[in-house]
Amino acid sequence: MSPRVVLVGPMGAGKTTVAALLAEAWGVAARDTDADVEAAEGRTISDIFVDSGEARFRELERAAVSDALAEHHGVLALGGGAVLDPVTRDLLHGHPVVFLRVGLSDAVKRVGLGSARPLLLGNVRGRIKALLDERTPIYEQVATHTVDTDGRTPEDVALEVRELMGEAAHE
């Protein structure tokens, strides 16, 4: 059993929102690996970064992704940096993975300049640009499909993902 679809992409792409819409449409559960890590640790991702460091967070994230890919048959949203881990990239092979692509302008608007996200301390716009530049080729590498989200509603993005997953064949 594996997820019906795995959503990857940077912060601000709408992974969690689109995952919830897809899960509702398909009558399955949505799961977010960031939420899994927070639940397992009993603290926020920001606190994990501050108290234990990014390397520890990435270990926890790798385990959360591995568990979710093995156990979850609904819609799975991965944290934005999960694909940086080579083990995670290997685990994604063979799963239906959709990269929700977002441009710099839309990502900044969605995340907000007053963001509490640990990787965005300092110049938020500059950090988001650097993360997009670094991670986009990796998202493209692991994805079986890419959906552009700029200027679109989450409902419209979810509909395109449903079409890409051949929804008609499942109903």
Side-chain angles (χ1 to χ4, degrees), residues 23-57:
E24 183 180 351
W26 286 331
V28 297
R31 186 164 170 178
D32 184 308
T33 57
D34 280 351
D36 289 353
V37 169
E38 289 183 341
E41 288 293 295
R43 53 191 176 142
T44 67
I45 289 170
S46 293
D47 286 346
I48 297 167
F49 264 79
V50 170
D51 298 339
S52 305
E54 183 176 0
R56 176 64 180 146
F57 169 72

Side-chain angles (χ1 to χ4, degrees), residues 17-137:
T17 303
V18 171
L21 291 168
L22 290 170
E24 183 180 351
W26 286 331
V28 297
R31 186 164 170 178
D32 184 308
T33 57
D34 280 351
D36 289 353
V37 169
E38 289 183 341
E41 288 293 295
R43 53 191 176 142
T44 67
I45 289 170
S46 293
D47 286 346
I48 297 167
F49 264 79
V50 170
D51 298 339
S52 305
E54 183 176 0
R56 176 64 180 146
F57 169 72
R58 296 297 175 203
E59 288 174 26
L60 297 167
E61 182 177 54
R62 180 186 321 113
V65 171
S66 177
D67 290 348
L69 288 171
E71 304 164 358
H72 186 67
H73 62 271
V75 180
L76 181 61
L78 301 191
V83 298
L84 297 176
D85 186 272
V87 173
T88 296
R89 290 195 301 271
D90 287 345
L91 290 172
L92 287 172
H93 186 76
H95 291 279
V97 178
V98 176
F99 167 31
L100 299 184
R101 184 184 355 239
V102 62
L104 178 60
S105 178
D106 277 36
V108 169
K109 284 182 211 158
R110 293 175 190 171
V111 171
L113 293 175
S115 178
R117 296 175 187 249
L119 287 179
L120 295 184
L121 297 177
N123 174 355
V124 173
R125 186 178 177 86
R127 287 294 298 138
I128 290 176
K129 181 180 184 332
L131 290 171
L132 290 175
D133 290 348
E134 171 193 9
R135 296 177 179 178
T136 295

